[in-house]
Amino acid sequence: MAVATPVVAERPPSLDALLGLARSDMAAVDELIRRHMDSPVPVIPALADHLIAGSAKRLRPLLTIAAARIAGARDEACLKLAAAVEFIHTATLLHDDVVDSSQLRRGRVAAHLIWGAPSSVLVGDFLFARAFELMVGAGSMPALEILARASRVIAEGEVLQLTRAHDLDLSQDVYLEIIKAKTAELFAAAAESGAVSAGASPERCRSLRKYGQDLGIAFQLVDDALDYSGDAGALGKNPGDDFREGKATLPLLLVMARTGASERDFWVRTVDRREQTDADFERTRELMRQTGALQATLDLARTYAESAKVALADFGASPWRPALEDLADVAVARTA
Amino acid sequence: MAVATPVVAERPPSLDALLGLARSDMAAVDELIRRHMDSPVPVIPALADHLIAGSAKRLRPLLTIAAARIAGARDEACLKLAAAVEFIHTATLLHDDVVDSSQLRRGRVAAHLIWGAPSSVLVGDFLFARAFELMVGAGSMPALEILARASRVIAEGEVLQLTRAHDLDLSQDVYLEIIKAKTAELFAAAAESGAVSAGASPERCRSLRKYGQDLGIAFQLVDDALDYSGDAGALGKNPGDDFREGKATLPLLLVMARTGASERDFWVRTVDRREQTDADFERTRELMRQTGALQATLDLARTYAESAKVALADFGASPWRPALEDLADVAVARTA
């Protein structure tokens, strides 16, 4: 079950305004995505489609479009950048699922369980290369630089997570460093590259980058909370995956810190040695509720979402501004 | 007593001239490679160095330098492109070794056996992203386009190989299509991107691309022959790997075609079902000798090497021309 967040909301946050403003652009982005995932090698479009068709939200390319349009873009360069952003994201998902041996992704059996890990690795490489071909087509070297750098930072974040994530004594600072790199960097770069390609001022590019980054951090914090509070049907993946992998996300770091010495043996066995019974996950959720670890994670997400909204202060009366503010609220209020 | 007949020996082909001409450029490329494989995440430089330090030849970046200089490049943009080419190559090696579960690479234990497949996948992604950062630094969008396209074609070639390579009835055309994509494309793009960044004419860019492509095909044909005729110490990997994986390379396709119906059961068991005894590899080598399958593979490599040399006809009296002709000869004459 979801933990209730005490939000004093006049209207429930919704993506309707944003999706309405971006509708025709996003239809064009979908068309670009579909065209560029094609290949004469049949496994490639089949495997790519399995993952890409499963994505209803396309949040990251939506950010690129919104940032470009709020910054005044009138041409179509941002459409190619947005498709490139979705390809980078899909490539990292394919590789992550191989790295984590995940079973479910976006409500479907993970691709590597159908086509094998080798195909997932290589189709990820294909999509990553396609992303750069699309960026070349967009014709903005500064946007390309931002997304190349983001791709590198994401890989660094993934390796950092891989080598440190089972560390019971991981600091909250390193945890934040990991989610900034593996998740928030692409949100930040998606928005910044859209703004840059629109020829926005350096200040406005920085503001939109900041919006994307804070939104991305909030998004990942909620993701990490939902892995303990969500349900499989809504999530499209199994809750408890992080716990079973012994992945030290914020809710777990907080509950471990707040339960102190009395539970140390429990955490060493379940997280460090990953010797778990079915009851251990339930006990962990109960301890998270008792210690307020989940609520503290969601409160931090709320703080970042508010910070993201503040970053939009310079964008005056553009209709995109309240739509992006709603996105920040939705990121925190979501249950899936 | 008989007088020894003096053998009219042309000088043995050697890379000395090419390495001499490129010495200071390649030292600068090495420095760029070393600087850009660094990361605050310690596994990344350790794993990257394991593979990159094992590479004595750096053939592909050497091609970029040679193509840029023979085309008249006076600036240093080609150095960054050359480092990017080596990173793309290293990233594909890391992913290939995971895909093929290889044991040895460049005379060392394959990285995934030391750091695990997940780290190999993610460090490959890191190097690939770094390659694009270096290309952005080189500042040539046309060169970037060539290398982005090549990266995508390589991934397509790898997937094609993965899905078709165990096919006993693979045609020689599809085999050539696979090696053009997975190997020759990067040789072609390495040379073409160097030429493009030097501002060479379209004709000269095409000539250098053709040189790289034909050289790459020759190189892979010899590689595939050496997997049956080479020895482990010189190769830096185990001969017989292709046979054990049931990979349908040209020597195998030729020996299967030339032995006809009499050996069909042997090939179905050893290649298709991969049920092999130690004696099967030796028997296959013997059949390759009897049928001339190895010699025919090397003859085809020689044809492509000669075609590569012809592609240099427009480059007059440049000292790089005989040096690149030597490279084509060395690619065919090598035993490792």
Side-chain angles (χ1 to χ4, degrees), chain A residues 39 43 95 119 122 125-126 128-130 132-133 152 156 162-163, chain B residues 39 43 95 119 125-126 128-130 132-133 149 152 156 162-163:
Chain A
S39 164
V43 175
H95 287 185
S119 289
L122 296 174
D125 292 349
F126 170 88
F128 199 46
R130 269 289 201 229
F132 282 92
E133 289 189 279
R152 188 252 304 163
E156 289 182 313
L162 190 67
T163 51
Chain B
S39 164
V43 175
H95 288 184
S119 289
D125 292 349
F126 169 88
F128 199 45
R130 268 289 200 230
F132 282 92
E133 288 188 279
R149 181 180 176 281
R152 188 253 301 162
E156 291 182 312
L162 191 68
T163 50

PDB file of all heavy atoms in Angstrom, chain A residues 39 43 95 119 122 125-126 128-130 132-133 152 156 162-163, chain B residues 39 43 95 119 125-126 128-130 132-133 149 152 156 162-163:
ATOM      1  N   SER A  39      15.786  -1.947 -38.194  1.00  0.00           N
ATOM      2  CA  SER A  39      17.072  -2.485 -38.631  1.00  0.00           C
ATOM      3  C   SER A  39      16.800  -3.697 -39.499  1.00  0.00           C
ATOM      4  O   SER A  39      15.810  -4.398 -39.280  1.00  0.00           O
ATOM      5  CB  SER A  39      17.906  -2.905 -37.409  1.00  0.00           C
ATOM      6  OG  SER A  39      18.973  -3.748 -37.809  1.00  0.00           O
ATOM      7  N   VAL A  43      16.012  -9.262 -34.908  1.00  0.00           N
ATOM      8  CA  VAL A  43      15.949  -9.258 -33.439  1.00  0.00           C
ATOM      9  C   VAL A  43      15.910  -7.828 -32.899  1.00  0.00           C
ATOM     10  O   VAL A  43      15.293  -7.562 -31.864  1.00  0.00           O
ATOM     11  CB  VAL A  43      17.179  -9.990 -32.842  1.00  0.00           C
ATOM     12  CG1 VAL A  43      17.181  -9.888 -31.324  1.00  0.00           C
ATOM     13  CG2 VAL A  43      17.179 -11.451 -33.261  1.00  0.00           C
ATOM     14  N   HIS A  95      20.695  -2.642 -20.365  1.00  0.00           N
ATOM     15  CA  HIS A  95      21.942  -3.066 -19.719  1.00  0.00           C
ATOM     16  C   HIS A  95      21.751  -3.259 -18.208  1.00  0.00           C
ATOM     17  O   HIS A  95      22.267  -4.224 -17.640  1.00  0.00           O
ATOM     18  CB  HIS A  95      23.056  -2.070 -20.023  1.00  0.00           C
ATOM     19  CG  HIS A  95      23.544  -2.159 -21.444  1.00  0.00           C
ATOM     20  ND1 HIS A  95      24.601  -1.434 -21.933  1.00  0.00           N
ATOM     21  CD2 HIS A  95      23.114  -2.918 -22.484  1.00  0.00           C
ATOM     22  CE1 HIS A  95      24.799  -1.735 -23.214  1.00  0.00           C
ATOM     23  NE2 HIS A  95      23.896  -2.618 -23.563  1.00  0.00           N
ATOM     24  N   SER A 119      21.859 -10.640 -26.515  1.00  0.00           N
ATOM     25  CA  SER A 119      21.076  -9.752 -27.384  1.00  0.00           C
ATOM     26  C   SER A 119      20.728  -8.449 -26.675  1.00  0.00           C
ATOM     27  O   SER A 119      20.733  -7.381 -27.292  1.00  0.00           O
ATOM     28  CB  SER A 119      19.786 -10.443 -27.834  1.00  0.00           C
ATOM     29  OG  SER A 119      20.084 -11.465 -28.763  1.00  0.00           O
ATOM     30  N   LEU A 122      23.769  -6.176 -26.789  1.00  0.00           N
ATOM     31  CA  LEU A 122      24.081  -5.658 -28.127  1.00  0.00           C
ATOM     32  C   LEU A 122      22.991  -4.725 -28.646  1.00  0.00           C
ATOM     33  O   LEU A 122      23.293  -3.726 -29.313  1.00  0.00           O
ATOM     34  CB  LEU A 122      24.307  -6.824 -29.097  1.00  0.00           C
ATOM     35  CG  LEU A 122      25.517  -7.709 -28.753  1.00  0.00           C
ATOM     36  CD1 LEU A 122      25.577  -8.926 -29.679  1.00  0.00           C
ATOM     37  CD2 LEU A 122      26.830  -6.919 -28.828  1.00  0.00           C
ATOM     38  N   ASP A 125      23.572  -1.468 -27.136  1.00  0.00           N
ATOM     39  CA  ASP A 125      24.621  -0.757 -27.876  1.00  0.00           C
ATOM     40  C   ASP A 125      24.068  -0.129 -29.153  1.00  0.00           C
ATOM     41  O   ASP A 125      24.416   1.004 -29.514  1.00  0.00           O
ATOM     42  CB  ASP A 125      25.762  -1.716 -28.236  1.00  0.00           C
ATOM     43  CG  ASP A 125      26.539  -2.189 -27.020  1.00  0.00           C
ATOM     44  OD1 ASP A 125      26.341  -1.625 -25.919  1.00  0.00           O
ATOM     45  OD2 ASP A 125      27.352  -3.121 -27.155  1.00  0.00           O
ATOM     46  N   PHE A 126      23.220  -0.888 -29.848  1.00  0.00           N
ATOM     47  CA  PHE A 126      22.586  -0.367 -31.067  1.00  0.00           C
ATOM     48  C   PHE A 126      21.798   0.908 -30.759  1.00  0.00           C
ATOM     49  O   PHE A 126      21.934   1.922 -31.454  1.00  0.00           O
ATOM     50  CB  PHE A 126      21.656  -1.445 -31.648  1.00  0.00           C
ATOM     51  CG  PHE A 126      20.756  -0.955 -32.761  1.00  0.00           C
ATOM     52  CD1 PHE A 126      21.183  -0.979 -34.079  1.00  0.00           C
ATOM     53  CD2 PHE A 126      19.482  -0.466 -32.483  1.00  0.00           C
ATOM     54  CE1 PHE A 126      20.357  -0.518 -35.101  1.00  0.00           C
ATOM     55  CE2 PHE A 126      18.649  -0.001 -33.491  1.00  0.00           C
ATOM     56  CZ  PHE A 126      19.089  -0.030 -34.806  1.00  0.00           C
ATOM     57  N   PHE A 128      22.053   2.941 -28.234  1.00  0.00           N
ATOM     58  CA  PHE A 128      22.958   4.006 -27.806  1.00  0.00           C
ATOM     59  C   PHE A 128      23.592   4.688 -29.026  1.00  0.00           C
ATOM     60  O   PHE A 128      23.643   5.930 -29.109  1.00  0.00           O
ATOM     61  CB  PHE A 128      24.015   3.390 -26.899  1.00  0.00           C
ATOM     62  CG  PHE A 128      24.728   4.376 -26.036  1.00  0.00           C
ATOM     63  CD1 PHE A 128      24.038   5.350 -25.342  1.00  0.00           C
ATOM     64  CD2 PHE A 128      26.106   4.333 -25.910  1.00  0.00           C
ATOM     65  CE1 PHE A 128      24.708   6.270 -24.547  1.00  0.00           C
ATOM     66  CE2 PHE A 128      26.775   5.241 -25.111  1.00  0.00           C
ATOM     67  CZ  PHE A 128      26.077   6.213 -24.441  1.00  0.00           C
ATOM     68  N   ALA A 129      24.045   3.884 -29.981  1.00  0.00           N
ATOM     69  CA  ALA A 129      24.640   4.446 -31.203  1.00  0.00           C
ATOM     70  C   ALA A 129      23.588   5.225 -31.998  1.00  0.00           C
ATOM     71  O   ALA A 129      23.857   6.313 -32.519  1.00  0.00           O
ATOM     72  CB  ALA A 129      25.250   3.327 -32.056  1.00  0.00           C
ATOM     73  N   ARG A 130      22.381   4.668 -32.083  1.00  0.00           N
ATOM     74  CA  ARG A 130      21.292   5.355 -32.771  1.00  0.00           C
ATOM     75  C   ARG A 130      21.005   6.713 -32.134  1.00  0.00           C
ATOM     76  O   ARG A 130      20.685   7.683 -32.820  1.00  0.00           O
ATOM     77  CB  ARG A 130      20.017   4.530 -32.682  1.00  0.00           C
ATOM     78  CG  ARG A 130      19.801   3.584 -33.792  1.00  0.00           C
ATOM     79  CD  ARG A 130      19.451   4.306 -35.079  1.00  0.00           C
ATOM     80  NE  ARG A 130      18.776   3.395 -35.986  1.00  0.00           N
ATOM     81  CZ  ARG A 130      19.106   3.239 -37.267  1.00  0.00           C
ATOM     82  NH1 ARG A 130      20.095   3.940 -37.796  1.00  0.00           N
ATOM     83  NH2 ARG A 130      18.439   2.408 -38.024  1.00  0.00           N
ATOM     84  N   PHE A 132      23.111   8.691 -30.812  1.00  0.00           N
ATOM     85  CA  PHE A 132      24.085   9.673 -31.294  1.00  0.00           C
ATOM     86  C   PHE A 132      23.859  10.014 -32.756  1.00  0.00           C
ATOM     87  O   PHE A 132      24.085  11.154 -33.168  1.00  0.00           O
ATOM     88  CB  PHE A 132      25.509   9.185 -31.013  1.00  0.00           C
ATOM     89  CG  PHE A 132      25.875   9.398 -29.561  1.00  0.00           C
ATOM     90  CD1 PHE A 132      25.671   8.410 -28.614  1.00  0.00           C
ATOM     91  CD2 PHE A 132      26.357  10.624 -29.133  1.00  0.00           C
ATOM     92  CE1 PHE A 132      25.949   8.620 -27.267  1.00  0.00           C
ATOM     93  CE2 PHE A 132      26.647  10.855 -27.797  1.00  0.00           C
ATOM     94  CZ  PHE A 132      26.440   9.849 -26.861  1.00  0.00           C
ATOM     95  N   GLU A 133      23.375   9.071 -33.543  1.00  0.00           N
ATOM     96  CA  GLU A 133      23.020   9.411 -34.927  1.00  0.00           C
ATOM     97  C   GLU A 133      21.892  10.448 -34.938  1.00  0.00           C
ATOM     98  O   GLU A 133      21.916  11.393 -35.724  1.00  0.00           O
ATOM     99  CB  GLU A 133      22.590   8.157 -35.694  1.00  0.00           C
ATOM    100  CG  GLU A 133      23.723   7.195 -36.011  1.00  0.00           C
ATOM    101  CD  GLU A 133      23.277   6.088 -36.960  1.00  0.00           C
ATOM    102  OE1 GLU A 133      22.655   5.115 -36.482  1.00  0.00           O
ATOM    103  OE2 GLU A 133      23.526   6.204 -38.169  1.00  0.00           O
ATOM    104  N   ARG A 152      28.056   9.248 -20.049  1.00  0.00           N
ATOM    105  CA  ARG A 152      29.237   8.806 -19.306  1.00  0.00           C
ATOM    106  C   ARG A 152      28.973   8.840 -17.798  1.00  0.00           C
ATOM    107  O   ARG A 152      29.330   7.895 -17.071  1.00  0.00           O
ATOM    108  CB  ARG A 152      30.429   9.702 -19.684  1.00  0.00           C
ATOM    109  CG  ARG A 152      31.749   9.222 -19.133  1.00  0.00           C
ATOM    110  CD  ARG A 152      32.258  10.096 -18.005  1.00  0.00           C
ATOM    111  NE  ARG A 152      32.367  11.477 -18.435  1.00  0.00           N
ATOM    112  CZ  ARG A 152      32.457  12.492 -17.596  1.00  0.00           C
ATOM    113  NH1 ARG A 152      32.438  12.290 -16.283  1.00  0.00           N
ATOM    114  NH2 ARG A 152      32.535  13.728 -18.044  1.00  0.00           N
ATOM    115  N   GLU A 156      29.098   5.826 -14.968  1.00  0.00           N
ATOM    116  CA  GLU A 156      29.872   5.927 -13.718  1.00  0.00           C
ATOM    117  C   GLU A 156      28.970   5.667 -12.509  1.00  0.00           C
ATOM    118  O   GLU A 156      29.370   4.981 -11.564  1.00  0.00           O
ATOM    119  CB  GLU A 156      30.529   7.306 -13.601  1.00  0.00           C
ATOM    120  CG  GLU A 156      31.669   7.515 -14.580  1.00  0.00           C
ATOM    121  CD  GLU A 156      32.341   8.880 -14.429  1.00  0.00           C
ATOM    122  OE1 GLU A 156      31.620   9.895 -14.343  1.00  0.00           O
ATOM    123  OE2 GLU A 156      33.576   8.940 -14.414  1.00  0.00           O
ATOM    124  N   LEU A 162      27.025  -0.511  -8.439  1.00  0.00           N
ATOM    125  CA  LEU A 162      27.381  -1.932  -8.483  1.00  0.00           C
ATOM    126  C   LEU A 162      28.427  -2.275  -7.432  1.00  0.00           C
ATOM    127  O   LEU A 162      28.378  -3.335  -6.813  1.00  0.00           O
ATOM    128  CB  LEU A 162      27.935  -2.237  -9.880  1.00  0.00           C
ATOM    129  CG  LEU A 162      28.163  -3.682 -10.285  1.00  0.00           C
ATOM    130  CD1 LEU A 162      26.841  -4.413 -10.398  1.00  0.00           C
ATOM    131  CD2 LEU A 162      28.911  -3.727 -11.622  1.00  0.00           C
ATOM    132  N   THR A 163      29.386  -1.372  -7.236  1.00  0.00           N
ATOM    133  CA  THR A 163      30.506  -1.699  -6.346  1.00  0.00           C
ATOM    134  C   THR A 163      30.240  -1.285  -4.903  1.00  0.00           C
ATOM    135  O   THR A 163      30.902  -1.776  -4.005  1.00  0.00           O
ATOM    136  CB  THR A 163      31.815  -1.028  -6.833  1.00  0.00           C
ATOM    137  OG1 THR A 163      31.573   0.367  -7.062  1.00  0.00           O
ATOM    138  CG2 THR A 163      32.282  -1.658  -8.124  1.00  0.00           C
TER     139      THR A 163
ATOM    140  N   SER B  39      38.528   8.041 -13.983  1.00  0.00           N
ATOM    141  CA  SER B  39      37.211   8.264 -13.388  1.00  0.00           C
ATOM    142  C   SER B  39      37.365   8.212 -11.881  1.00  0.00           C
ATOM    143  O   SER B  39      38.216   7.479 -11.372  1.00  0.00           O
ATOM    144  CB  SER B  39      36.239   7.169 -13.849  1.00  0.00           C
ATOM    145  OG  SER B  39      35.081   7.151 -13.024  1.00  0.00           O
ATOM    146  N   VAL B  43      36.925   1.175 -10.151  1.00  0.00           N
ATOM    147  CA  VAL B  43      36.885  -0.002 -11.025  1.00  0.00           C
ATOM    148  C   VAL B  43      37.092   0.384 -12.488  1.00  0.00           C
ATOM    149  O   VAL B  43      37.652  -0.379 -13.273  1.00  0.00           O
ATOM    150  CB  VAL B  43      35.520  -0.730 -10.892  1.00  0.00           C
ATOM    151  CG1 VAL B  43      35.417  -1.880 -11.881  1.00  0.00           C
ATOM    152  CG2 VAL B  43      35.328  -1.236  -9.470  1.00  0.00           C
ATOM    153  N   HIS B  95      32.201  -5.836 -24.492  1.00  0.00           N
ATOM    154  CA  HIS B  95      30.863  -6.410 -24.642  1.00  0.00           C
ATOM    155  C   HIS B  95      30.912  -7.758 -25.371  1.00  0.00           C
ATOM    156  O   HIS B  95      30.198  -8.696 -25.005  1.00  0.00           O
ATOM    157  CB  HIS B  95      29.939  -5.417 -25.341  1.00  0.00           C
ATOM    158  CG  HIS B  95      29.561  -4.265 -24.454  1.00  0.00           C
ATOM    159  ND1 HIS B  95      28.679  -3.286 -24.833  1.00  0.00           N
ATOM    160  CD2 HIS B  95      29.942  -3.948 -23.198  1.00  0.00           C
ATOM    161  CE1 HIS B  95      28.532  -2.406 -23.847  1.00  0.00           C
ATOM    162  NE2 HIS B  95      29.305  -2.788 -22.851  1.00  0.00           N
ATOM    163  N   SER B 119      30.299  -5.417 -14.536  1.00  0.00           N
ATOM    164  CA  SER B 119      31.277  -4.330 -14.664  1.00  0.00           C
ATOM    165  C   SER B 119      31.769  -4.190 -16.101  1.00  0.00           C
ATOM    166  O   SER B 119      31.977  -3.075 -16.585  1.00  0.00           O
ATOM    167  CB  SER B 119      32.480  -4.570 -13.741  1.00  0.00           C
ATOM    168  OG  SER B 119      32.106  -4.375 -12.393  1.00  0.00           O
ATOM    169  N   ASP B 125      30.080   0.688 -21.590  1.00  0.00           N
ATOM    170  CA  ASP B 125      29.206   1.858 -21.800  1.00  0.00           C
ATOM    171  C   ASP B 125      29.955   3.158 -21.483  1.00  0.00           C
ATOM    172  O   ASP B 125      29.812   4.159 -22.201  1.00  0.00           O
ATOM    173  CB  ASP B 125      27.963   1.768 -20.909  1.00  0.00           C
ATOM    174  CG  ASP B 125      27.033   0.634 -21.330  1.00  0.00           C
ATOM    175  OD1 ASP B 125      27.246   0.063 -22.415  1.00  0.00           O
ATOM    176  OD2 ASP B 125      26.094   0.330 -20.572  1.00  0.00           O
ATOM    177  N   PHE B 126      30.713   3.141 -20.408  1.00  0.00           N
ATOM    178  CA  PHE B 126      31.511   4.316 -20.039  1.00  0.00           C
ATOM    179  C   PHE B 126      32.459   4.694 -21.188  1.00  0.00           C
ATOM    180  O   PHE B 126      32.537   5.868 -21.579  1.00  0.00           O
ATOM    181  CB  PHE B 126      32.316   4.016 -18.763  1.00  0.00           C
ATOM    182  CG  PHE B 126      33.362   5.046 -18.419  1.00  0.00           C
ATOM    183  CD1 PHE B 126      33.040   6.154 -17.644  1.00  0.00           C
ATOM    184  CD2 PHE B 126      34.668   4.910 -18.867  1.00  0.00           C
ATOM    185  CE1 PHE B 126      34.002   7.103 -17.334  1.00  0.00           C
ATOM    186  CE2 PHE B 126      35.638   5.859 -18.563  1.00  0.00           C
ATOM    187  CZ  PHE B 126      35.299   6.956 -17.792  1.00  0.00           C
ATOM    188  N   PHE B 128      32.320   3.920 -24.326  1.00  0.00           N
ATOM    189  CA  PHE B 128      31.562   4.329 -25.498  1.00  0.00           C
ATOM    190  C   PHE B 128      31.136   5.800 -25.362  1.00  0.00           C
ATOM    191  O   PHE B 128      31.279   6.604 -26.299  1.00  0.00           O
ATOM    192  CB  PHE B 128      30.356   3.411 -25.630  1.00  0.00           C
ATOM    193  CG  PHE B 128      29.746   3.409 -26.987  1.00  0.00           C
ATOM    194  CD1 PHE B 128      30.523   3.324 -28.130  1.00  0.00           C
ATOM    195  CD2 PHE B 128      28.371   3.487 -27.130  1.00  0.00           C
ATOM    196  CE1 PHE B 128      29.938   3.330 -29.391  1.00  0.00           C
ATOM    197  CE2 PHE B 128      27.780   3.489 -28.384  1.00  0.00           C
ATOM    198  CZ  PHE B 128      28.565   3.414 -29.511  1.00  0.00           C
ATOM    199  N   ALA B 129      30.647   6.167 -24.178  1.00  0.00           N
ATOM    200  CA  ALA B 129      30.234   7.552 -23.942  1.00  0.00           C
ATOM    201  C   ALA B 129      31.455   8.482 -24.003  1.00  0.00           C
ATOM    202  O   ALA B 129      31.397   9.575 -24.585  1.00  0.00           O
ATOM    203  CB  ALA B 129      29.533   7.675 -22.589  1.00  0.00           C
ATOM    204  N   ARG B 130      32.554   8.049 -23.412  1.00  0.00           N
ATOM    205  CA  ARG B 130      33.796   8.826 -23.463  1.00  0.00           C
ATOM    206  C   ARG B 130      34.234   9.062 -24.911  1.00  0.00           C
ATOM    207  O   ARG B 130      34.747  10.138 -25.256  1.00  0.00           O
ATOM    208  CB  ARG B 130      34.921   8.063 -22.765  1.00  0.00           C
ATOM    209  CG  ARG B 130      35.080   8.387 -21.318  1.00  0.00           C
ATOM    210  CD  ARG B 130      35.654   9.777 -21.113  1.00  0.00           C
ATOM    211  NE  ARG B 130      36.223   9.882 -19.797  1.00  0.00           N
ATOM    212  CZ  ARG B 130      35.978  10.853 -18.933  1.00  0.00           C
ATOM    213  NH1 ARG B 130      35.159  11.839 -19.257  1.00  0.00           N
ATOM    214  NH2 ARG B 130      36.540  10.866 -17.760  1.00  0.00           N
ATOM    215  N   PHE B 132      32.363   9.496 -27.426  1.00  0.00           N
ATOM    216  CA  PHE B 132      31.584  10.595 -28.000  1.00  0.00           C
ATOM    217  C   PHE B 132      31.975  11.937 -27.387  1.00  0.00           C
ATOM    218  O   PHE B 132      31.961  12.964 -28.075  1.00  0.00           O
ATOM    219  CB  PHE B 132      30.090  10.297 -27.908  1.00  0.00           C
ATOM    220  CG  PHE B 132      29.653   9.331 -28.965  1.00  0.00           C
ATOM    221  CD1 PHE B 132      29.622   7.964 -28.717  1.00  0.00           C
ATOM    222  CD2 PHE B 132      29.353   9.780 -30.240  1.00  0.00           C
ATOM    223  CE1 PHE B 132      29.268   7.063 -29.718  1.00  0.00           C
ATOM    224  CE2 PHE B 132      29.000   8.890 -31.254  1.00  0.00           C
ATOM    225  CZ  PHE B 132      28.960   7.521 -30.981  1.00  0.00           C
ATOM    226  N   GLU B 133      32.361  11.940 -26.121  1.00  0.00           N
ATOM    227  CA  GLU B 133      32.881  13.188 -25.546  1.00  0.00           C
ATOM    228  C   GLU B 133      34.153  13.622 -26.281  1.00  0.00           C
ATOM    229  O   GLU B 133      34.343  14.809 -26.562  1.00  0.00           O
ATOM    230  CB  GLU B 133      33.181  12.995 -24.054  1.00  0.00           C
ATOM    231  CG  GLU B 133      31.943  12.881 -23.177  1.00  0.00           C
ATOM    232  CD  GLU B 133      32.297  12.899 -21.695  1.00  0.00           C
ATOM    233  OE1 GLU B 133      32.698  11.845 -21.169  1.00  0.00           O
ATOM    234  OE2 GLU B 133      32.197  13.972 -21.070  1.00  0.00           O
ATOM    235  N   ARG B 149      27.507   6.287 -36.879  1.00  0.00           N
ATOM    236  CA  ARG B 149      26.949   5.299 -37.803  1.00  0.00           C
ATOM    237  C   ARG B 149      27.722   3.984 -37.684  1.00  0.00           C
ATOM    238  O   ARG B 149      27.130   2.902 -37.620  1.00  0.00           O
ATOM    239  CB  ARG B 149      27.023   5.847 -39.226  1.00  0.00           C
ATOM    240  CG  ARG B 149      26.439   4.911 -40.253  1.00  0.00           C
ATOM    241  CD  ARG B 149      26.515   5.464 -41.688  1.00  0.00           C
ATOM    242  NE  ARG B 149      26.012   4.452 -42.607  1.00  0.00           N
ATOM    243  CZ  ARG B 149      26.725   3.412 -43.007  1.00  0.00           C
ATOM    244  NH1 ARG B 149      27.969   3.263 -42.601  1.00  0.00           N
ATOM    245  NH2 ARG B 149      26.190   2.503 -43.817  1.00  0.00           N
ATOM    246  N   ARG B 152      26.751   1.965 -34.734  1.00  0.00           N
ATOM    247  CA  ARG B 152      25.457   1.299 -34.907  1.00  0.00           C
ATOM    248  C   ARG B 152      25.602   0.076 -35.828  1.00  0.00           C
ATOM    249  O   ARG B 152      25.059  -0.996 -35.549  1.00  0.00           O
ATOM    250  CB  ARG B 152      24.457   2.308 -35.487  1.00  0.00           C
ATOM    251  CG  ARG B 152      23.034   1.800 -35.545  1.00  0.00           C
ATOM    252  CD  ARG B 152      22.610   1.489 -36.954  1.00  0.00           C
ATOM    253  NE  ARG B 152      22.719   2.662 -37.798  1.00  0.00           N
ATOM    254  CZ  ARG B 152      22.745   2.593 -39.123  1.00  0.00           C
ATOM    255  NH1 ARG B 152      22.671   1.437 -39.746  1.00  0.00           N
ATOM    256  NH2 ARG B 152      22.851   3.704 -39.837  1.00  0.00           N
ATOM    257  N   GLU B 156      24.803  -3.911 -35.122  1.00  0.00           N
ATOM    258  CA  GLU B 156      23.972  -4.731 -36.014  1.00  0.00           C
ATOM    259  C   GLU B 156      24.718  -5.981 -36.464  1.00  0.00           C
ATOM    260  O   GLU B 156      24.157  -7.085 -36.507  1.00  0.00           O
ATOM    261  CB  GLU B 156      23.523  -3.920 -37.233  1.00  0.00           C
ATOM    262  CG  GLU B 156      22.520  -2.831 -36.901  1.00  0.00           C
ATOM    263  CD  GLU B 156      22.045  -2.059 -38.124  1.00  0.00           C
ATOM    264  OE1 GLU B 156      22.899  -1.647 -38.937  1.00  0.00           O
ATOM    265  OE2 GLU B 156      20.836  -1.850 -38.269  1.00  0.00           O
ATOM    266  N   LEU B 162      25.395 -13.135 -33.824  1.00  0.00           N
ATOM    267  CA  LEU B 162      24.831 -13.876 -32.694  1.00  0.00           C
ATOM    268  C   LEU B 162      23.665 -14.765 -33.130  1.00  0.00           C
ATOM    269  O   LEU B 162      23.506 -15.886 -32.650  1.00  0.00           O
ATOM    270  CB  LEU B 162      24.338 -12.856 -31.654  1.00  0.00           C
ATOM    271  CG  LEU B 162      23.932 -13.345 -30.285  1.00  0.00           C
ATOM    272  CD1 LEU B 162      25.141 -13.856 -29.533  1.00  0.00           C
ATOM    273  CD2 LEU B 162      23.279 -12.204 -29.499  1.00  0.00           C
ATOM    274  N   THR B 163      22.844 -14.238 -34.054  1.00  0.00           N
ATOM    275  CA  THR B 163      21.632 -14.973 -34.399  1.00  0.00           C
ATOM    276  C   THR B 163      21.844 -15.923 -35.575  1.00  0.00           C
ATOM    277  O   THR B 163      21.050 -16.835 -35.773  1.00  0.00           O
ATOM    278  CB  THR B 163      20.477 -13.996 -34.746  1.00  0.00           C
ATOM    279  OG1 THR B 163      20.955 -13.032 -35.694  1.00  0.00           O
ATOM    280  CG2 THR B 163      20.015 -13.258 -33.497  1.00  0.00           C
TER     281      THR B 163
END
